[in-house]
Amino acid sequence: MRRGPEPSATTLEPRAAPAAEGTVELSVVMPCLNEADTLAACIAAIRETLETSGIAGEIIVADNGSSDGSVEIARERGVRVLPVAERGYGNALLGGIAAARGRFVIMGDADGSYDFREIPRFVEKLREGYELVQGCRLSSGGGEVLPGAMPFLHRWLGNPLFSFLARRWFATPVHDVYCGLRGFVRDLPQRLGQRCGGMEFATEMIVKASLTGARIAEVPITLHPDGRVSHEPHLRTFHDGWRTLRFYLMYSPRWLFLWPSLALIAFGVLSYAVALPGLRIAGARFDVHTLLFGSLAIILGAQAIVFFVSARVYSASHRYLPSSPWIDRVLRTVTLERGILAGALLVVIGAALLLTAVLQWRAAGFGDLDYARTMRWVIPGATLTAIGVQAVLGSFLLGMLGFERS
């Protein structure tokens, strides 16, 4: 952000009394962990913006254990300081949001990278009825990154990639999921059931807001170089990237379990189609080894489907993901009794195929067998038996999760 000269001790403004409930339209919440280098300039920019734009607002610094004088800087400037003992970016924000009195909340980092003079653009969208207004620093969303303001990997790989995945997996209408400058109605995090205490808090808000159908808008902003000089930024590129991917996968059972399972099963069925009759294609002979690969894929795919349904039911029960009508249909259709019967039927068929192989062995006097011929009975038999057992156990698991929802 554009920073002016640091106010001196003789020009400090008197401490302002907290605004009463109902008189504040906007609460600006800044998480803070040793931001003494830039905090004063951020507070000055916010206060100036609120005054010039005529927005009735308050400033809250959610301090997460600063030891560099940040708390004193904020208090000297008449800002509400909320100590948050539990460490973490998300925990600090949740504490600050819970203490907010405004109808709307703007959250933004206190590192000097955001120009808080852009606040009125967020408020305008919120007044129009949007529940979440996300800032966008990237050119794909009309934003601008000034030289030296964002690391190369973040700007050209990590942020665009995870923003694309958010749009593809969760239908999120934003181009910069990591942007920390955003506005929202005060009760949005509570309605979304946000629970991430770390850096995933920001992406959790966007993902859950999209999944629950909240009205989302995006406004372009300019990112300025980090103004801190006493310590490095808190970001850790690969560690934070993995945490984002992990969060995405945990909140998308479809992409984690369903699509891979269908691909595995399709591969397994194709393998069976060419290996059971022993086809030769382009000079390559497909035999029992191909059956083994196909069986492995089918077994893994069947297990992944059980994981998918169970994870989806569990996540809806515990408000990780919104409920869906198809969950109730699945629980009504795939009852424990039906699952046991279907699994038992597969086990019986599989056992019959295995018994056929044993009878072949017996007919050969329990001696040597035609390997290629016998394995065409053994492999499918073992596969069906394994899937049958999975179906029975999975039905019990699903029954437990369904019982928990009832």
Side-chain angles (χ1 to χ4, degrees):
M1 63 177 278
R2 296 183 292 274
R3 293 178 292 275
E6 175 87 357
S8 65
T10 59
T11 62
L12 294 181
E13 301 180 57
R15 180 175 302 181
E21 180 74 36
T23 65
V24 178
E25 181 183 26
L26 178 68
S27 297
V28 182
V29 178
M30 287 188 292
C32 180
L33 177 59
N34 296 326
E35 312 290 3
D37 293 336
T38 53
L39 183 58
C42 290
I43 292 173
I46 296 170
R47 179 165 287 146
E48 176 190 345
T49 301
L50 296 179
E51 291 176 353
T52 57
S53 59
I55 300 174
E58 64 173 350
I59 304 173
I60 300 174
V61 171
D63 186 70
N64 213 198
S66 296
S67 57
D68 65 345
S70 295
V71 172
E72 291 73 20
I73 290 173
R75 286 176 174 162
E76 287 171 351
R77 284 156 179 80
V79 170
R80 291 178 62 195
V81 176
L82 182 75
V84 180
E86 190 170 2
R87 285 297 186 96
Y89 175 75
N91 288 323
L93 283 168
L94 284 171
I97 294 167
R101 298 187 177 97
R103 174 187 172 197
F104 306 130
V105 174
I106 296 284
M107 65 178 241
D109 299 339
D111 59 7
S113 60
Y114 294 124
D115 188 350
F116 287 103
R117 294 176 179 86
E118 296 178 306
I119 284 177
R121 302 167 66 185
F122 290 82
V123 174
E124 180 182 355
K125 289 293 183 181
L126 291 169
R127 287 171 177 171
E128 292 176 8
Y130 290 99
E131 298 170 278
L132 172 61
V133 182
Q134 174 72 4
C136 181
R137 304 162 295 179
L138 304 181
S139 58
S140 57
E144 181 182 6
V145 178
L146 296 184
M150 186 181 294
F152 180 87
L153 285 178
H154 293 204
R155 181 176 181 180
W156 300 109
L157 178 61
N159 205 333
L161 173 62
F162 286 117
S163 297
F164 168 78
L165 291 178
R167 293 194 301 274
R168 183 69 181 87
W169 290 8
F170 308 107
T172 298
V174 300
H175 297 81
D176 185 3
V177 295
Y178 282 125
C179 183
L181 183 61
R182 66 184 63 174
F184 45 89
V185 293
R186 184 179 58 183
D187 66 340
L188 182 65
Q190 182 180 6
R191 284 194 281 118
L192 297 179
Q194 288 200 241
R195 60 185 71 204
C196 289
M199 55 81 63
E200 299 94 339
F201 175 87
T203 48
E204 179 191 20
M205 176 182 288
I206 294 177
V207 168
K208 284 190 170 182
S210 298
L211 293 175
T212 56
R215 294 192 64 196
I216 303 174
E218 186 176 59
V219 297
I221 66 169
T222 299
L223 182 70
H224 298 254
D226 189 324
R228 294 170 295 192
V229 294
S230 59
H231 64 84
E232 294 295 320
H234 300 302
L235 293 175
R236 292 174 291 175
T237 299
F238 295 103
H239 178 266
D240 292 344
W242 159 243
R243 289 176 66 176
T244 301
L245 179 59
R246 179 184 66 183
F247 173 82
Y248 278 12
L249 291 172
M250 291 176 64
Y251 272 76
S252 182
R254 182 175 301 173
W255 285 94
L256 179 59
F257 297 122
L258 181 60
W259 300 135
S261 71
L262 295 180
L264 286 168
I265 291 174
F267 172 79
V269 171
L270 178 61
S271 299
Y272 265 63
V274 298
L276 276 177
L279 298 182
R280 185 180 296 274
I281 301 175
R285 175 68 183 277
F286 295 92
D287 212 322
V288 291
H289 301 89
T290 305
L291 280 182
L292 283 172
F293 278 91
S295 292
L296 175 62
I298 291 174
I299 292 172
L300 293 177
Q303 185 67 73
I305 288 180
V306 173
F307 286 161
F308 165 70
V309 178
S310 301
R312 193 62 183 84
V313 171
Y314 178 86
S315 61
S317 300
H318 291 74
R319 293 189 63 200
Y320 288 110
L321 294 173
S323 187
S324 175
W326 75 265
I327 295 178
D328 296 324
R329 289 197 298 269
V330 168
L331 292 177
R332 287 195 303 266
T333 304
V334 186
T335 63
L336 174 60
E337 293 75 15
R338 290 175 179 173
I340 293 175
L341 289 175
L345 179 60
L346 291 175
V347 170
V348 169
I349 296 174
L353 295 176
L354 294 174
L355 180 59
T356 300
V358 173
L359 293 177
Q360 290 177 358
W361 187 31
R362 178 185 177 186
F366 297 106
D368 296 334
L369 290 171
D370 183 346
Y371 171 79
R373 176 170 174 266
T374 305
M375 293 301 287
R376 279 177 166 77
W377 295 91
V378 172
I379 295 174
T383 300
L384 290 175
T385 302
I387 295 176
V389 173
Q390 288 181 0
V392 172
L393 298 179
S395 297
F396 272 104
L397 176 59
L398 194 58
M400 294 175 186
L401 296 176
F403 179 78
E404 186 177 76
R405 281 169 54 87
S406 60

